[in-house]
Amino acid sequence: MSTPEIDSLLQQSYRHGFVTDIESDTLPPGLDEDVVRFISRKKKEPEFLLNWRLKAYRHWLTMKEPHWAKLRVHPIDYQGISYFSAPKRDPNAPKSLAEVDPKLLATYEKLGVPLHERARLAGVAVDAVFDSVSVATTFKERLAEAGVIFCSFSDAVQKHPALIEKYLGTVVPHTDNFFAALNSAVFSDGSFVYVPPGVRCPMELSTYFRINAKNTGQFERTLIIAAPGSHVSYLEGCTAPMRDENQLHAAVVELITEDDAEIKYSTVQNWYPGDERGIGGIYNFVTKRGECRGRNSKISWTQVETGSAITWKYPSCVLKGENSVGEFYSVATANNYQQADTGTKMIHIGANTKSTIVSKGISAGHGQNSYRGLVKILPSAHGARNFTQCDSLLMGGNCGAHTFPYIETRNPSATVEHEASTSKISEDQLFYCLQRGIDEEDAVNMIVSGFCKTVLDVLPMEFAVEAQNLLAVSLEGAVG
Amino acid sequence: MSALLEISNLSAKVGGKNVLNGLSLTIGAGEVHAIMGPNGSGKSTLSYVLAGRPGYEITGGSVRYRGADLLSLPTEERARAGLFLGFQYPVEIPGVNNVYLLKAALNAKRKASGQQEVDAYEFLQLVRAKMKLMQIDESFLKRGVNEGFSGGEKKRNEILQMLVLEPALAVLDETDSGLDIDALKVVAKGVNSLRSSERGVLLITHYQRLLDHVVPDFVHVLARGRIAKTGGKELALELERRGYDWVLEVA
């Protein structure tokens, strides 16, 4: 598309978009300041937020797409994306489960996804596919009793603007990186959590129960604040493969823990990975970072990444508070033509800060899996300690595992340990299981689960079972 | 009634090399057979061929198990049909719980014979009883398959698995090697507890000392891929005294 054409399209959006026709649902493709203004206005945002978005947009214009990761990415046309579309029905969406691809349904079956959930996940065009009202209401009442705020980001902007203004962008600034800057300019929606001082959140917070969770879209923004002495466990994602028309996903997640507070953030990500030949699939460029601001605070990231054509993701911890603790537990699989470049950054600033990194990478088919991690000990971090364990499992001869650990220590009292291993599922292990009467598929699943055990063990229980099934499904047929 | 296992004129290659050369051997129900022989005579190959390990090419002969063709069955079906191989070098499977593997194995077998899956509580009771017999510590229940086990622990675990799975035919490949005398007695006790008129055991061993504790009905000498001599338990003693050379010369 030539520049004049784009311009004319943008003009159109300008005319029909936000100036007169505020009811318009979707912007045509393209991005400029007016698009940013349109989004903010559509969401009835306060001025500070609009200004912040604009700052981010202007900064984004000066930035270049990063290409340091070990990924091959088809060029992304940022002007070819529509940056605002209100939740609406896809006219091509299946009308009932009978119209859904049987292969997808078979996968749901294997994962044990409940029937009513299958319809929602497969994108069946039904407004209320299941009766969530009663569950959600009870859930909300219990949270309100405890004083926990858990709502969509948009709701929080309306109801708690002071909290948003105080914390937004304080962990991941709008200038942080190319994708974070883009997200800051055009983010659609996401989750907001505030846990008041001394409160232990009475249940696991899951996006599943969040009202208006549908269509949070490709530029999701999440902010979680744990006030002094509070505790919260947050579950993100879903084990079932998600259909999504948007190829580019660039989410930002910010976590903040004050003194003695703890956030446990668990993710199971299973976006569409593309087909067996690597066609299609989601590009997932995510910025996730937590800041342990207070003494004795703790942030723990656990992720099971099986989806997406491309995963670019480094959930990190900035350990400012004395004695604060950062953890990163990760399982990442790359099958067929999937590419994953994922890892973490642990930045030790406070004294006696401690971090643990356990990364399990599984490569199969033509998958390429890279661990990229930075452990940085600043001069102020006396007695800081890190332990890193980084294991790769290869299935078949066409895949690859790569490890890029960076360690920078500027305090001599720090202790940093790094262990790494690469192994194959051995013929001996398979034969052993077969000789005990276990069939090959079960044997492979068993060996893979064993390999990931340290990570699966720290997932909330119901998630762990799902994640194990998910690993089995995503590596189906990888050996043999 | 047909024999439990009937190996006729079996020849097999591994890595392009002939290892078994027309081996014949029949094991009847209720019998314990010991196979001895020098290194490289084909003992382990025989056990792998029977179990169906990939990479072993059958070039001639046949094996009938309970009257049916064994060699046409995939590895896991042979196991479910009651053929158990006690490994010489049991492999470690990190992170996979011992009990989990054992339960999966038992259920695979039960499922194949149309039985229900084993009840979790009953299963644990069963495993505990067999653990006691094999003098295996309680901590075993929480550990990964052979993960960090000593040589002796691995061998005892093999026998424990065998006792839980109750195979019709147990092939034990040098289960006695690397065991001290106390551990050897425990292993022997385990094997003896499985002996019955319906089951057969094939003991592959280098040493006569195991046969003091598990007394065989027949002792065979394997040489150059075939049975060179067969005798009773006294043959083992003679081999211990005289070595293999005299057998090989005759063969």
Side-chain angles (χ1 to χ4, degrees):
Chain A
M1 199 185 278
S2 68
T3 316
E5 271 178 287
I6 293 171
D7 285 345
S8 80
L9 275 176
L10 289 175
Q11 290 301 321
Q12 261 179 23
S13 79
Y14 189 88
R15 247 191 357 262
H16 302 293
F18 64 92
V19 176
T20 51
D21 182 11
I22 198 87
E23 295 311 310
S24 164
D25 262 355
T26 301
L27 278 181
L31 179 57
D32 62 10
E33 280 203 11
D34 290 333
V35 168
V36 176
R37 286 176 197 280
F38 175 86
I39 294 169
S40 187
R41 181 150 168 180
K42 200 74 177 158
K43 293 175 154 304
K44 303 188 178 69
E45 289 177 351
E47 181 126 18
F48 80 86
L49 197 49
L50 170 63
N51 290 336
W52 191 73
R53 284 181 184 271
L54 287 172
K55 264 196 305 189
Y57 173 72
R58 286 167 198 152
H59 191 81
W60 179 73
L61 288 176
T62 69
M63 300 176 96
K64 283 207 171 76
E65 221 179 44
H67 288 287
W68 42 261
K70 195 173 167 55
L71 299 171
R72 281 195 328 207
V73 186
H74 287 291
I76 300 167
D77 176 11
Y78 294 93
Q79 295 299 340
I81 297 170
S82 166
Y83 289 86
F84 185 87
S85 74
K88 65 167 172 67
R89 267 182 208 178
D90 176 355
N92 298 320
K95 306 279 183 295
S96 73
L97 274 180
E99 289 181 27
V100 173
D101 181 2
K103 253 162 74 182
L104 191 64
L105 292 179
T107 308
Y108 291 166
E109 180 78 44
K110 282 183 199 150
L111 288 169
V113 177
L115 262 173
H116 55 254
E117 270 290 274
R118 292 181 200 175
R120 184 177 71 85
L121 293 165
V124 170
V126 182
D127 283 333
V129 264
F130 69 105
D131 177 23
S132 68
V133 180
S134 57
V135 186
T137 310
T138 328
F139 187 77
K140 277 200 133 179
E141 277 168 7
R142 283 182 66 195
L143 285 180
E145 245 168 66
V148 175
I149 303 170
F150 177 38
C151 60
S152 73
F153 200 93
S154 305
D155 281 357
V157 168
Q158 300 307 318
K159 293 178 190 153
H160 311 282
L163 286 174
I164 299 284
E165 188 166 14
K166 183 174 172 192
Y167 290 105
L168 179 68
T170 60
V171 181
V172 180
H174 67 275
T175 51
D176 193 78
N177 69 68
F178 183 84
F179 295 106
L182 178 63
N183 174 289
S184 303
V186 301
F187 69 84
S188 36
D189 209 336
S191 301
F192 177 80
V193 177
Y194 176 82
V195 191
V199 170
R200 200 180 169 88
C201 188
M203 70 259 288
E204 314 258 3
L205 296 183
S206 156
T207 42
Y208 181 94
F209 285 116
R210 201 189 60 220
I211 309 301
N212 298 329
K214 267 189 280 178
N215 281 318
T216 42
Q218 56 195 135
F219 302 105
E220 203 168 338
R221 186 99 200 177
T222 294
L223 176 58
I224 300 178
I225 303 142
S230 69
H231 178 285
V232 63
S233 170
Y234 184 88
L235 314 181
E236 171 201 46
C238 181
T239 51
M242 295 279 266
R243 271 168 52 108
D244 196 295
E245 306 306 320
N246 303 309
Q247 189 173 41
L248 174 67
H249 280 241
V252 172
V253 176
E254 296 179 278
L255 310 182
I256 295 155
T257 48
E258 307 279 11
D259 287 357
D260 306 299
E262 180 177 345
I263 298 175
K264 183 175 166 61
Y265 193 105
S266 312
T267 307
V268 172
Q269 185 272 116
N270 188 21
W271 294 107
Y272 181 55
D275 66 14
E276 292 79 2
R277 288 162 302 142
I279 311 293
I282 301 288
Y283 289 7
N284 198 21
F285 294 89
V286 185
T287 306
K288 288 184 162 173
R289 195 175 304 152
E291 207 169 277
C292 285
R293 291 197 179 155
R295 295 163 58 98
N296 310 317
S297 63
K298 180 174 173 186
I299 287 176
S300 183
W301 298 100
T302 306
Q303 60 172 22
V304 175
E305 299 280 330
T306 65
S308 297
I310 290 174
T311 301
W312 180 96
K313 183 178 171 187
Y314 316 91
S316 304
C317 297
V318 181
L319 304 170
K320 277 189 180 161
E322 238 173 77
N323 294 319
S324 60
V325 176
E327 292 176 340
F328 174 74
Y329 292 95
S330 169
V331 171
T333 65
N335 197 359
N336 296 322
Y337 284 86
Q338 280 179 279
Q339 307 174 66
D341 194 301
T342 182
T344 184
K345 286 189 275 186
M346 293 291 174
I347 314 293
H348 292 255
I349 299 171
N352 300 313
T353 44
K354 216 174 101 186
S355 63
T356 304
I357 299 171
V358 178
S359 163
K360 304 279 182 177
I362 302 164
S363 315
H366 291 83
Q368 293 293 326
N369 210 329
S370 301
Y371 167 80
R372 189 180 301 277
L374 169 67
V375 176
K376 191 170 184 172
I377 315 269
L378 294 177
S380 52
H382 299 288
R385 295 174 62 174
N386 162 265
F387 172 75
T388 300
Q389 187 185 344
C390 192
D391 299 320
S392 307
L393 186 68
L394 302 174
M395 299 165 82
N398 298 318
C399 53
H402 319 274
T403 308
F404 305 97
Y406 303 89
I407 300 170
E408 290 176 40
T409 312
R410 287 159 62 197
N411 187 310
S413 67
T415 317
V416 177
E417 290 173 75
H418 183 95
E419 286 177 13
S421 76
T422 301
S423 55
K424 280 196 159 194
I425 287 195
S426 75
E427 198 194 285
D428 285 352
Q429 288 172 332
L430 268 181
F431 176 58
Y432 191 82
C433 294
L434 290 174
Q435 209 300 308
R436 295 301 181 252
I438 297 161
D439 66 37
E440 182 166 293
E441 205 171 303
D442 289 348
V444 169
N445 293 341
M446 206 181 266
I447 295 166
V448 167
S449 297
F451 173 75
C452 303
K453 187 172 184 294
T454 350
V455 176
L456 297 178
D457 278 355
V458 296
L459 277 177
M461 189 140 72
E462 68 277 24
F463 236 32
V465 176
E466 288 181 41
Q468 205 157 329
N469 292 340
L470 175 60
L471 283 174
V473 170
S474 62
L475 292 170
E476 213 161 65
V479 162
Chain B
M1 206 183 98
S2 62
L4 185 60
L5 186 76
E6 207 175 339
I7 306 173
S8 313
N9 214 14
L10 183 65
S11 296
K13 267 185 179 176
V14 58
K17 204 177 132 212
N18 293 315
V19 183
L20 298 183
N21 298 300
L23 185 148
S24 295
L25 174 66
T26 300
I27 298 179
E31 295 173 356
V32 173
H33 290 239
I35 287 198
M36 304 179 79
N39 290 327
S41 58
K43 300 192 299 293
S44 287
T45 297
L46 174 62
S47 72
Y48 288 147
V49 165
L50 291 177
R53 182 174 193 134
Y56 290 78
E57 189 196 342
I58 312 295
T59 51
S62 69
V63 180
R64 302 195 77 77
Y65 171 71
R66 290 173 150 173
D69 178 17
L70 180 74
L71 301 177
S72 64
L73 292 179
T75 309
E76 65 273 25
E77 284 180 27
R78 298 183 197 188
R80 290 171 198 161
L83 190 153
F84 179 92
L85 172 61
F87 284 78
Q88 186 180 356
Y89 303 109
V91 69
E92 297 192 12
I93 311 179
V96 176
N97 185 277
N98 278 304
V99 179
Y100 185 81
L101 176 101
L102 197 46
K103 198 171 162 198
L106 183 59
N107 279 332
K109 191 181 171 189
R110 291 174 69 109
K111 203 172 148 195
S113 61
Q115 288 174 280
Q116 290 248 312
E117 289 207 346
V118 64
D119 171 79
Y121 179 76
E122 279 171 27
F123 175 73
L124 209 58
Q125 296 295 100
L126 171 71
V127 173
R128 281 219 161 91
K130 303 296 184 192
M131 277 167 63
K132 204 170 162 195
L133 184 69
M134 296 311 295
Q135 298 180 18
I136 290 173
D137 190 78
E138 184 80 358
S139 67
F140 164 88
L141 295 171
K142 297 205 172 84
R143 293 167 74 184
V145 176
N146 295 319
E147 201 179 350
F149 282 27
S150 71
E153 282 179 313
K154 285 182 183 173
K155 296 298 175 73
R156 270 186 286 168
N157 187 19
E158 293 294 290
I159 302 302
L160 172 73
Q161 294 185 7
M162 179 183 81
L163 294 181
V164 171
L165 296 174
E166 299 186 314
L169 175 66
V171 179
L172 303 178
D173 188 5
E174 297 199 26
T175 302
D176 54 332
S177 59
L179 294 184
D180 63 36
I181 190 66
D182 292 330
L184 183 76
K185 281 181 180 164
V186 172
V187 162
K189 192 167 75 180
V191 176
N192 284 327
S193 77
L194 194 82
R195 287 181 85 154
S196 82
S197 57
E198 290 94 50
R199 298 204 176 95
V201 178
L202 181 60
L203 296 171
I204 295 172
T205 181
H206 266 299
Y207 306 104
Q208 133 72 21
R209 60 174 197 164
L210 173 68
L211 307 182
D212 285 341
H213 303 282
V214 183
V215 181
D217 301 300
F218 300 93
V219 173
H220 310 275
V221 178
L222 188 63
R224 300 187 199 101
R226 56 195 300 174
I227 302 293
K229 190 171 180 62
T230 294
K233 62 185 181 201
E234 64 291 338
L235 176 58
L237 292 167
E238 194 173 359
L239 290 168
E240 181 96 335
R241 223 174 43 241
R242 297 176 62 185
Y244 292 113
D245 286 350
W246 64 280
V247 182
L248 301 185
E249 277 161 27
V250 177

